[in-house]
Amino acid sequence: MAISIGLNKVKTAVFISGTGSNLKSLIKFSKTEKSPISVSLIISDNPKAKGLIYGKKFKIKNKVFKFENSGLIENQLINTLKKNQIKLICLAGFMRILSRNFIKKFKGKIINIHPSLLPKYKGLDTHQRALDNNEKYSGCTVHFVNAKLDSGKIILQKKVRIKKKETKNSLGKKILLQEHKLYPKAILKIFNL
Ligand code: GRF
């Protein structure tokens, strides 16, 4: 018999900075019966992030924070997350580095998706770096967030083959498609589902 998680879905915030295609896949997933989470808040550091439009379609609350004065802003952010009873944070193309203090406050409750097979290619421009090194494979990783950039415990990875004529763009598209499948799977895994 299927167990319905129903009203007890874990309130989740998705942090974005841009397109929000992973946000979109997480929202879709959260609407399914098997999902243990509901996306109830979207946080962006960028008022022009396209993902905000998608969130609005689904009437999901959003908040934009200007991270320039980051200490102060992070306190406001923590208050917002608490007020909204957020128990899981999914970083999805969020381009800011969260402080040690913030990460400590939500220890074990922040996860991120990264477009490489970590621990290879932490940081930016992962696809070009993989191509420059003539890698045969690249992929994506969902991991817990700790104080070191892209270094927390790995939850799940998906490998993709790099073809001979692969470009940064073709590789990026191929990996992004896999990201959309991997993030929901990783969430099921952390809930032991
Ligand atoms: C993804 O490739 C993600 O892995 C990286 O930033 C990109 C965000 O894409 N961290 P989107 O905004 O989810 O479309």
Side-chain angles (χ1 to χ4, degrees):
M1 196 175 71
I3 298 166
S4 167
I5 300 161
L7 291 171
N8 300 322
K9 288 192 178 188
V10 171
K11 290 194 173 149
T12 300
V14 181
F15 285 29
I16 60 166
S17 295
T19 317
S21 69
N22 278 291
L23 164 71
K24 189 169 167 179
S25 98
L26 288 176
I27 294 173
K28 278 192 179 161
F29 167 65
S30 77
K31 305 276 178 201
T32 64
E33 200 176 343
K34 69 177 175 191
S35 167
I37 65 153
S38 70
V39 177
S40 48
L41 183 64
I42 297 164
I43 300 289
S44 175
D45 63 333
N46 169 13
K48 293 192 177 131
K50 275 198 199 152
L52 290 172
I53 299 170
Y54 194 75
K56 276 181 194 152
K57 268 195 199 157
F58 281 87
K59 300 198 166 53
I60 298 170
K61 191 167 169 180
N62 75 66
K63 267 208 144 196
V64 177
F65 287 94
K66 281 191 180 166
F67 274 75
E68 275 103 56
N69 185 353
S70 75
L72 199 77
I73 295 298
E74 273 195 0
N75 281 336
Q76 291 174 12
L77 177 58
I78 290 168
N79 286 337
T80 302
L81 295 169
K82 287 200 169 145
K83 251 195 226 157
N84 287 279
Q85 296 170 305
I86 297 300
K87 298 285 185 292
L88 178 70
I89 295 172
C90 295
L91 307 182
F94 183 64
M95 300 305 283
R96 301 273 171 176
I97 293 178
L98 296 162
S99 75
R100 232 166 233 280
N101 172 52
F102 182 90
I103 293 166
K104 222 168 127 190
K105 287 235 157 63
F106 289 91
K107 199 166 177 248
K109 295 188 167 54
I110 314 174
I111 60 178
N112 180 42
I113 187 149
H114 182 78
S116 78
L117 293 174
L118 290 173
K120 281 191 167 176
Y121 308 114
K122 296 172 183 175
L124 298 174
D125 210 15
T126 54
H127 307 315
Q128 190 57 54
R129 285 155 63 208
L131 291 175
D132 292 346
N133 282 344
N134 294 316
E135 297 281 2
K136 287 207 166 60
Y137 294 94
S138 188
C140 44
T141 304
V142 179
H143 63 95
F144 285 104
V145 171
N146 66 11
K148 273 194 184 168
L149 182 71
D150 300 327
S151 299
K153 189 169 176 244
I154 291 173
I155 302 163
L156 269 187
Q157 290 189 308
K158 175 72 184 177
K159 212 172 176 186
V160 307
R161 204 184 165 86
I162 299 182
K163 290 193 181 148
K164 282 216 173 90
K165 289 194 175 156
E166 204 80 70
T167 63
K168 175 179 162 168
N169 279 347
S170 67
L171 181 59
K173 277 189 191 158
K174 203 152 78 174
I175 291 178
L176 196 58
L177 280 178
Q178 295 304 325
E179 291 185 35
H180 300 155
K181 297 182 192 162
L182 192 71
Y183 219 157
K185 278 190 189 159
I187 290 172
L188 289 171
K189 187 171 176 200
I190 61 174
F191 285 92
N192 294 317
L193 291 170

